[in-house]
Amino acid sequence: MNGATDLESDGCEYVEVDPTGRYGGYNEILDRWASKIVYRAFDDYEEIEVAWNQVKLFDFLQSPEDRERMYCKIHLLKTLKHSNIMKFYTSWVDPSNRNINFVTEMFTSGTLRQYRQRHKNVNIRALKH
């Protein structure tokens, strides 16, 4: 995680804290994609582990139209409430590090791809469920 001050919470050091001070991110990567990295984090208010997602802003997101579409998608994610959809807690833009951060529910079993690699004989109907 970039540009953070070290804070301590119950003996664990945060490498970054969200603007409200509620969520603290650790330097432990849970998943990585081309332009997105997911870190382990903690919600100090609810006292639960969460996932801190960082998406790099590239030049294609610099036009007002592209940014508006991105903000609309984030707003849609915030409004989705369903037991089969990952919870979306908050988001913010970090212009100094050129990224968008958002905090979501954390799934301890890993990604769907990792689950399929560990459990090769899972029925496809069960997997979809």
Side-chain angles (χ1 to χ4, degrees):
M1 302 181 110
N2 297 322
T5 59
D6 288 345
L7 298 177
E8 287 196 24
S9 173
D10 298 332
C12 297
E13 287 188 32
Y14 293 146
V15 294
E16 192 164 354
V17 177
D18 80 299
T20 68
R22 176 175 177 169
Y23 301 99
Y26 301 113
N27 198 25
E28 180 183 345
I29 295 175
L30 300 174
D31 199 9
R32 182 186 300 260
W33 292 75
S35 62
K36 176 180 155 186
I37 302 175
V38 183
Y39 296 92
R40 182 177 304 276
F42 194 77
D43 178 344
D44 282 331
Y45 180 76
E46 293 289 331
E47 297 186 349
I48 58 171
E49 285 191 312
V50 292
W52 180 309
N53 301 262
Q54 279 189 340
V55 180
K56 282 291 179 194
L57 291 174
F58 293 106
D59 291 334
F60 66 86
L61 284 177
Q62 296 309 305
S63 77
E65 297 83 16
D66 289 341
R67 283 195 302 276
E68 183 62 29
R69 275 195 297 273
M70 178 193 60
Y71 293 139
C72 286
K73 289 178 183 180
I74 289 173
H75 178 71
L76 175 65
L77 288 172
K78 285 182 181 181
T79 62
L80 294 175
K81 306 290 184 214
H82 190 277
S83 61
N84 293 335
I85 298 175
M86 178 187 315
K87 291 178 186 166
F88 188 98
Y89 297 117
T90 192
S91 65
W92 67 97
V93 175
D94 180 355
S96 63
N97 289 312
R98 296 183 49 104
N99 61 37
I100 299 170
N101 296 283
F102 57 96
V103 177
T104 62
E105 179 178 15
M106 185 170 73
F107 294 110
T108 56
S109 58
T111 65
L112 186 56
R113 179 181 308 187
Q114 292 166 335
Y115 183 84
R116 290 200 64 198
Q117 288 173 344
R118 282 193 308 270
H119 308 285
K120 297 189 185 305
N121 297 321
V122 174
N123 180 301
I124 193 70
R125 283 187 16 214
L127 191 60
K128 286 180 182 179
H129 178 66

Coordinates of all heavy atoms in Angstrom, one line a residue, residues 27-85:
N27 N 0.0 -4.9 5.0 CA 0.8 -5.1 3.8 C 0.7 -6.5 3.4 O 1.7 -7.1 2.9 CB 2.2 -4.6 4.1 CG 3.0 -4.4 2.8 OD1 2.4 -4.1 1.8 ND2 4.3 -4.5 2.9
E28 N -0.4 -7.2 3.5 CA -0.6 -8.6 3.1 C -1.5 -8.6 1.9 O -2.7 -8.3 2.0 CB -1.2 -9.4 4.3 CG -1.4 -10.9 3.9 CD -2.0 -11.6 5.0 OE1 -2.1 -11.2 6.2 OE2 -2.5 -12.8 4.7
I29 N -1.0 -9.1 0.8 CA -1.8 -9.2 -0.5 C -2.6 -10.4 -0.5 O -2.1 -11.5 -0.2 CB -0.8 -9.1 -1.7 CG1 -0.1 -7.8 -1.8 CG2 -1.6 -9.4 -3.0 CD1 0.9 -7.7 -2.9
L30 N -3.9 -10.3 -0.7 CA -4.8 -11.4 -0.8 C -5.0 -11.8 -2.2 O -5.2 -13.0 -2.5 CB -6.2 -11.0 -0.2 CG -6.2 -10.7 1.3 CD1 -7.6 -10.2 1.7 CD2 -5.7 -11.8 2.1
D31 N -5.0 -10.9 -3.2 CA -5.2 -11.2 -4.6 C -4.6 -10.1 -5.4 O -4.5 -8.9 -4.9 CB -6.7 -11.3 -4.8 CG -7.0 -12.1 -6.1 OD1 -6.1 -12.6 -6.7 OD2 -8.2 -12.1 -6.5
R32 N -4.3 -10.4 -6.6 CA -3.7 -9.4 -7.5 C -4.2 -9.6 -8.9 O -4.2 -10.8 -9.4 CB -2.2 -9.5 -7.5 CG -1.5 -8.5 -8.3 CD 0.0 -8.8 -8.4 NE 0.7 -8.8 -7.1 CZ 1.4 -7.7 -6.6 NH1 1.5 -6.6 -7.3 NH2 1.9 -7.8 -5.4
W33 N -4.6 -8.5 -9.6 CA -5.0 -8.5 -11.0 C -4.2 -7.5 -11.7 O -3.3 -6.9 -11.1 CB -6.5 -8.2 -11.1 CG -7.4 -9.2 -10.5 CD1 -7.6 -9.5 -9.2 CD2 -8.2 -10.2 -11.2 NE1 -8.5 -10.5 -9.0 CE2 -8.8 -11.0 -10.3 CE3 -8.4 -10.4 -12.5 CZ2 -9.7 -12.0 -10.6 CZ3 -9.2 -11.5 -12.9 CH2 -9.9 -12.2 -11.9
A34 N -4.4 -7.3 -13.0 CA -3.6 -6.4 -13.8 C -3.6 -5.0 -13.2 O -2.5 -4.5 -13.0 CB -4.2 -6.3 -15.2
S35 N -4.7 -4.4 -12.8 CA -4.7 -3.0 -12.3 C -5.2 -3.0 -10.9 O -5.5 -1.9 -10.4 CB -5.4 -2.1 -13.2 OG -6.8 -2.5 -13.3
K36 N -5.4 -4.1 -10.3 CA -6.1 -4.1 -8.9 C -5.3 -5.0 -8.0 O -4.9 -6.1 -8.4 CB -7.5 -4.6 -9.1 CG -8.2 -4.8 -7.7 CD -9.6 -5.3 -8.0 CE -10.2 -6.0 -6.8 NZ -11.5 -6.7 -7.1
I37 N -5.1 -4.6 -6.8 CA -4.5 -5.4 -5.7 C -5.4 -5.4 -4.5 O -6.0 -4.3 -4.2 CB -3.1 -4.8 -5.3 CG1 -2.1 -4.8 -6.5 CG2 -2.5 -5.7 -4.2 CD1 -0.8 -4.1 -6.2
V38 N -5.6 -6.5 -3.9 CA -6.5 -6.7 -2.7 C -5.6 -7.0 -1.5 O -4.9 -8.0 -1.5 CB -7.6 -7.7 -2.9 CG1 -8.5 -7.8 -1.7 CG2 -8.3 -7.5 -4.2
Y39 N -5.8 -6.2 -0.5 CA -5.0 -6.3 0.7 C -5.9 -6.8 1.9 O -7.1 -6.4 1.9 CB -4.3 -5.0 1.2 CG -3.3 -4.5 0.2 CD1 -3.6 -3.6 -0.8 CD2 -2.0 -4.9 0.3 CE1 -2.7 -3.2 -1.7 CE2 -1.0 -4.4 -0.6 CZ -1.4 -3.6 -1.6 OH -0.4 -3.1 -2.5
R40 N -5.3 -7.4 2.9 CA -6.1 -7.7 4.1 C -6.2 -6.4 4.9 O -5.2 -5.6 4.9 CB -5.3 -8.8 4.9 CG -6.0 -9.2 6.2 CD -5.3 -10.3 7.0 NE -5.0 -11.4 6.2 CZ -5.9 -12.4 6.0 NH1 -7.1 -12.4 6.6 NH2 -5.6 -13.5 5.2
A41 N -7.3 -6.2 5.5 CA -7.5 -5.0 6.3 C -8.5 -5.3 7.4 O -8.9 -6.4 7.6 CB -8.2 -3.9 5.3
F42 N -8.7 -4.3 8.3 CA -9.5 -4.4 9.5 C -10.4 -3.2 9.6 O -10.0 -2.1 9.5 CB -8.6 -4.6 10.7 CG -9.3 -5.1 11.9 CD1 -9.6 -6.5 12.0 CD2 -9.6 -4.3 12.9 CE1 -10.2 -7.0 13.1 CE2 -10.3 -4.8 14.0 CZ -10.6 -6.1 14.2
D43 N -11.6 -3.5 10.0 CA -12.6 -2.5 10.3 C -12.6 -2.3 11.8 O -13.1 -3.2 12.6 CB -14.0 -3.0 9.9 CG -15.1 -2.0 10.2 OD1 -15.0 -1.1 11.0 OD2 -16.2 -2.2 9.6
D44 N -12.1 -1.2 12.3 CA -11.9 -0.9 13.7 C -13.3 -0.7 14.4 O -13.4 -0.9 15.6 CB -11.0 0.3 13.9 CG -9.5 -0.1 13.8 OD1 -9.2 -1.2 14.0 OD2 -8.8 0.8 13.4
Y45 N -14.3 -0.3 13.6 CA -15.6 0.0 14.2 C -16.3 -1.4 14.5 O -16.8 -1.6 15.6 CB -16.4 0.9 13.3 CG -17.8 1.2 13.8 CD1 -18.0 2.1 14.8 CD2 -18.9 0.6 13.3 CE1 -19.2 2.4 15.3 CE2 -20.2 0.9 13.7 CZ -20.3 1.8 14.7 OH -21.6 2.0 15.2
E46 N -16.4 -2.2 13.4 CA -17.1 -3.5 13.6 C -16.2 -4.6 14.1 O -16.7 -5.7 14.5 CB -17.7 -4.0 12.2 CG -18.8 -3.1 11.7 CD -20.1 -3.2 12.4 OE1 -20.3 -4.3 13.0 OE2 -20.8 -2.3 12.4
E47 N -14.9 -4.3 14.1 CA -13.9 -5.3 14.6 C -14.0 -6.6 13.8 O -14.0 -7.7 14.3 CB -14.0 -5.6 16.1 CG -13.8 -4.3 16.9 CD -13.7 -4.6 18.4 OE1 -14.1 -5.6 18.9 OE2 -13.3 -3.6 19.1
I48 N -13.9 -6.5 12.5 CA -13.9 -7.6 11.6 C -12.9 -7.4 10.5 O -12.5 -6.2 10.2 CB -15.3 -7.8 10.9 CG1 -15.7 -6.6 10.1 CG2 -16.4 -8.2 11.9 CD1 -16.9 -6.8 9.2
E49 N -12.4 -8.5 9.9 CA -11.4 -8.4 8.8 C -12.2 -8.0 7.5 O -13.4 -8.5 7.4 CB -10.7 -9.7 8.6 CG -9.6 -9.9 9.6 CD -8.7 -11.0 9.2 OE1 -9.2 -12.1 8.9 OE2 -7.5 -10.8 9.3
V50 N -11.6 -7.2 6.7 CA -12.2 -6.8 5.4 C -11.2 -6.8 4.3 O -10.0 -7.0 4.6 CB -12.8 -5.4 5.5 CG1 -14.0 -5.3 6.5 CG2 -11.8 -4.3 6.0
A51 N -11.6 -6.6 3.1 CA -10.7 -6.6 2.0 C -10.5 -5.1 1.5 O -11.5 -4.5 1.2 CB -11.2 -7.5 0.8
W52 N -9.3 -4.7 1.4 CA -9.0 -3.3 0.9 C -8.5 -3.4 -0.5 O -7.5 -4.0 -0.8 CB -7.9 -2.7 1.8 CG -7.5 -1.3 1.5 CD1 -7.1 -0.8 0.3 CD2 -7.3 -0.3 2.4 NE1 -6.7 0.5 0.4 CE2 -6.9 0.8 1.7 CE3 -7.5 -0.2 3.8 CZ2 -6.6 2.1 2.3 CZ3 -7.3 1.0 4.4 CH2 -6.8 2.1 3.7
N53 N -9.3 -3.0 -1.4 CA -9.0 -3.1 -2.9 C -8.5 -1.8 -3.4 O -9.0 -0.7 -3.1 CB -10.3 -3.4 -3.6 CG -11.0 -4.6 -3.2 OD1 -10.9 -5.7 -3.8 ND2 -11.8 -4.6 -2.1
Q54 N -7.4 -1.9 -4.1 CA -6.8 -0.7 -4.7 C -6.7 -0.9 -6.2 O -6.2 -1.9 -6.7 CB -5.4 -0.4 -4.2 CG -5.3 0.2 -2.9 CD -3.9 0.7 -2.6 OE1 -2.9 0.2 -3.1 NE2 -3.8 1.6 -1.6
V55 N -7.3 0.1 -7.0 CA -7.3 0.0 -8.4 C -6.6 1.2 -8.9 O -6.9 2.4 -8.6 CB -8.8 0.1 -9.0 CG1 -8.8 0.0 -10.5 CG2 -9.6 -1.1 -8.4
K56 N -5.6 1.0 -9.8 CA -4.8 2.1 -10.3 C -5.6 2.9 -11.4 O -6.3 2.3 -12.2 CB -3.5 1.5 -11.0 CG -2.4 1.2 -10.0 CD -1.9 2.4 -9.4 CE -0.8 2.1 -8.4 NZ -0.6 3.3 -7.5
L57 N -5.5 4.2 -11.3 CA -6.1 5.1 -12.3 C -5.1 5.3 -13.4 O -4.0 5.7 -13.2 CB -6.4 6.4 -11.6 CG -7.5 6.4 -10.6 CD1 -7.6 7.8 -10.0 CD2 -8.9 6.1 -11.2
F58 N -5.6 4.9 -14.6 CA -4.8 5.1 -15.8 C -5.3 6.3 -16.6 O -6.4 6.8 -16.2 CB -4.7 3.8 -16.6 CG -4.0 2.7 -15.9 CD1 -4.8 1.6 -15.4 CD2 -2.7 2.7 -15.8 CE1 -4.1 0.6 -14.8 CE2 -2.0 1.6 -15.2 CZ -2.8 0.6 -14.6
D59 N -4.6 6.7 -17.6 CA -5.0 7.8 -18.4 C -6.4 7.7 -18.9 O -7.1 8.7 -19.2 CB -4.0 8.1 -19.5 CG -2.7 8.6 -18.9 OD1 -2.7 9.1 -17.8 OD2 -1.6 8.4 -19.6
F60 N -6.9 6.5 -19.2 CA -8.2 6.3 -19.8 C -9.3 6.7 -18.8 O -10.5 6.9 -19.2 CB -8.5 4.9 -20.3 CG -8.5 3.9 -19.3 CD1 -9.7 3.6 -18.6 CD2 -7.3 3.2 -18.9 CE1 -9.7 2.6 -17.6 CE2 -7.4 2.2 -18.0 CZ -8.5 1.9 -17.3
L61 N -9.0 6.9 -17.5 CA -10.0 7.4 -16.6 C -9.9 8.9 -16.3 O -10.5 9.4 -15.3 CB -9.9 6.6 -15.3 CG -10.4 5.2 -15.3 CD1 -10.2 4.5 -13.9 CD2 -11.9 5.2 -15.6
Q62 N -9.2 9.6 -17.1 CA -9.0 11.0 -16.9 C -10.1 11.9 -17.4 O -10.2 13.1 -17.0 CB -7.6 11.5 -17.4 CG -6.5 10.8 -16.6 CD -6.6 10.8 -15.1 OE1 -6.7 11.9 -14.6 NE2 -6.6 9.7 -14.5
S63 N -10.9 11.4 -18.4 CA -11.9 12.3 -18.9 C -13.1 12.3 -18.0 O -13.3 11.3 -17.2 CB -12.4 11.7 -20.3 OG -13.2 10.6 -20.1
P64 N -13.8 13.4 -17.9 CA -15.0 13.5 -17.0 C -16.0 12.4 -17.2 O -16.6 11.9 -16.3 CB -15.5 14.9 -17.3 CG -14.4 15.7 -17.9 CD -13.6 14.7 -18.6
E65 N -16.2 12.0 -18.5 CA -17.2 11.0 -18.8 C -16.8 9.6 -18.2 O -17.6 8.9 -17.7 CB -17.4 10.9 -20.3 CG -18.0 12.1 -21.0 CD -16.9 13.2 -21.3 OE1 -15.7 12.8 -21.3 OE2 -17.3 14.3 -21.5
D66 N -15.5 9.3 -18.4 CA -15.0 8.0 -17.8 C -15.1 8.0 -16.3 O -15.5 7.0 -15.7 CB -13.6 7.8 -18.3 CG -13.5 7.4 -19.7 OD1 -14.5 7.0 -20.3 OD2 -12.4 7.6 -20.3
R67 N -14.8 9.1 -15.7 CA -14.9 9.2 -14.2 C -16.3 9.1 -13.8 O -16.6 8.4 -12.8 CB -14.2 10.5 -13.7 CG -12.7 10.4 -13.7 CD -12.1 11.5 -12.9 NE -12.5 12.9 -13.3 CZ -11.9 13.5 -14.3 NH1 -10.8 13.0 -14.9 NH2 -12.3 14.7 -14.6
E68 N -17.2 9.7 -14.5 CA -18.6 9.7 -14.1 C -19.2 8.2 -14.2 O -19.9 7.8 -13.3 CB -19.5 10.6 -15.0 CG -20.9 10.7 -14.6 CD -21.2 11.2 -13.2 OE1 -20.4 12.0 -12.7 OE2 -22.2 10.8 -12.6
R69 N -18.8 7.5 -15.3 CA -19.2 6.1 -15.4 C -18.7 5.3 -14.3 O -19.4 4.4 -13.7 CB -18.7 5.5 -16.7 CG -19.7 5.8 -17.9 CD -19.4 5.0 -19.1 NE -18.0 5.2 -19.6 CZ -17.8 6.2 -20.5 NH1 -18.7 7.0 -21.0 NH2 -16.5 6.3 -21.0
M70 N -17.4 5.5 -13.9 CA -16.8 4.8 -12.8 C -17.5 5.1 -11.5 O -17.8 4.2 -10.7 CB -15.3 5.1 -12.7 CG -14.6 4.4 -11.5 SD -13.0 5.2 -11.2 CE -13.5 6.8 -10.8
Y71 N -17.8 6.3 -11.2 CA -18.5 6.7 -10.0 C -19.9 6.1 -10.0 O -20.4 5.6 -8.9 CB -18.6 8.2 -9.8 CG -17.3 8.8 -9.6 CD1 -16.9 10.1 -10.2 CD2 -16.3 8.3 -8.7 CE1 -15.7 10.6 -10.0 CE2 -15.1 8.9 -8.5 CZ -14.8 10.0 -9.1 OH -13.6 10.6 -8.9
C72 N -20.6 6.0 -11.1 CA -21.9 5.4 -11.2 C -21.8 3.9 -10.9 O -22.7 3.3 -10.2 CB -22.5 5.6 -12.6 SG -23.1 7.3 -12.8
K73 N -20.8 3.2 -11.4 CA -20.6 1.8 -11.1 C -20.4 1.6 -9.6 O -20.9 0.6 -9.0 CB -19.5 1.2 -11.9 CG -19.8 1.1 -13.3 CD -18.6 0.5 -14.1 CE -19.0 0.5 -15.6 NZ -17.9 0.0 -16.4
I74 N -19.6 2.4 -9.0 CA -19.3 2.3 -7.5 C -20.6 2.5 -6.7 O -20.9 1.8 -5.8 CB -18.2 3.3 -7.1 CG1 -16.8 2.8 -7.7 CG2 -18.1 3.4 -5.6 CD1 -15.7 3.8 -7.5
H75 N -21.3 3.5 -7.1 CA -22.6 3.8 -6.5 C -23.5 2.6 -6.6 O -24.2 2.2 -5.6 CB -23.3 5.1 -7.0 CG -24.6 5.3 -6.4 ND1 -24.7 5.8 -5.1 CD2 -25.9 5.2 -6.8 CE1 -26.0 5.9 -4.8 NE2 -26.7 5.6 -5.8
L76 N -23.6 2.0 -7.7 CA -24.4 0.8 -7.9 C -24.0 -0.3 -7.0 O -24.8 -1.0 -6.3 CB -24.4 0.3 -9.4 CG -25.1 -1.0 -9.7 CD1 -26.6 -0.8 -9.4 CD2 -24.8 -1.5 -11.1
L77 N -22.7 -0.6 -6.9 CA -22.2 -1.6 -6.0 C -22.6 -1.3 -4.5 O -22.9 -2.2 -3.8 CB -20.6 -1.7 -6.1 CG -20.1 -2.3 -7.3 CD1 -18.6 -2.2 -7.4 CD2 -20.5 -3.8 -7.4
K78 N -22.5 0.0 -4.1 CA -22.9 0.3 -2.8 C -24.4 0.0 -2.5 O -24.7 -0.3 -1.3 CB -22.6 1.8 -2.5 CG -21.2 2.2 -2.3 CD -21.1 3.6 -2.1 CE -19.6 4.0 -1.9 NZ -19.5 5.5 -1.6
T79 N -25.2 0.1 -3.5 CA -26.6 -0.1 -3.3 C -27.1 -1.5 -3.3 O -28.2 -1.9 -2.9 CB -27.5 0.7 -4.3 OG1 -27.2 0.2 -5.6 CG2 -27.2 2.2 -4.2
L80 N -26.2 -2.4 -3.8 CA -26.6 -3.9 -3.9 C -26.6 -4.5 -2.5 O -25.6 -4.4 -1.8 CB -25.7 -4.6 -4.9 CG -25.7 -4.2 -6.3 CD1 -24.6 -5.0 -7.1 CD2 -27.1 -4.5 -6.9
K81 N -27.7 -5.1 -2.2 CA -27.8 -5.7 -0.9 C -28.5 -7.1 -1.1 O -29.7 -7.2 -1.3 CB -28.7 -4.9 0.1 CG -28.3 -3.5 0.3 CD -27.0 -3.4 1.1 CE -26.7 -1.9 1.3 NZ -25.3 -1.6 1.3
H82 N -27.6 -8.1 -1.1 CA -28.1 -9.5 -1.3 C -27.2 -10.5 -0.6 O -26.0 -10.2 -0.6 CB -28.2 -9.8 -2.8 CG -28.9 -11.0 -3.1 ND1 -28.3 -12.3 -3.1 CD2 -30.2 -11.3 -3.5 CE1 -29.2 -13.2 -3.4 NE2 -30.3 -12.6 -3.7
S83 N -27.7 -11.6 -0.1 CA -26.8 -12.5 0.6 C -25.8 -13.2 -0.2 O -24.8 -13.7 0.2 CB -27.7 -13.6 1.3 OG -28.5 -14.3 0.3
N84 N -26.0 -13.2 -1.6 CA -25.1 -13.9 -2.5 C -24.1 -12.9 -3.2 O -23.4 -13.2 -4.1 CB -25.8 -14.7 -3.5 CG -26.5 -15.8 -2.9 OD1 -26.1 -16.4 -1.9 ND2 -27.6 -16.3 -3.6
I85 N -24.2 -11.6 -2.8 CA -23.3 -10.6 -3.3 C -22.4 -10.0 -2.2 O -22.9 -9.7 -1.1 CB -24.1 -9.5 -4.0 CG1 -25.0 -10.0 -5.1 CG2 -23.2 -8.3 -4.5 CD1 -25.9 -9.0 -5.7

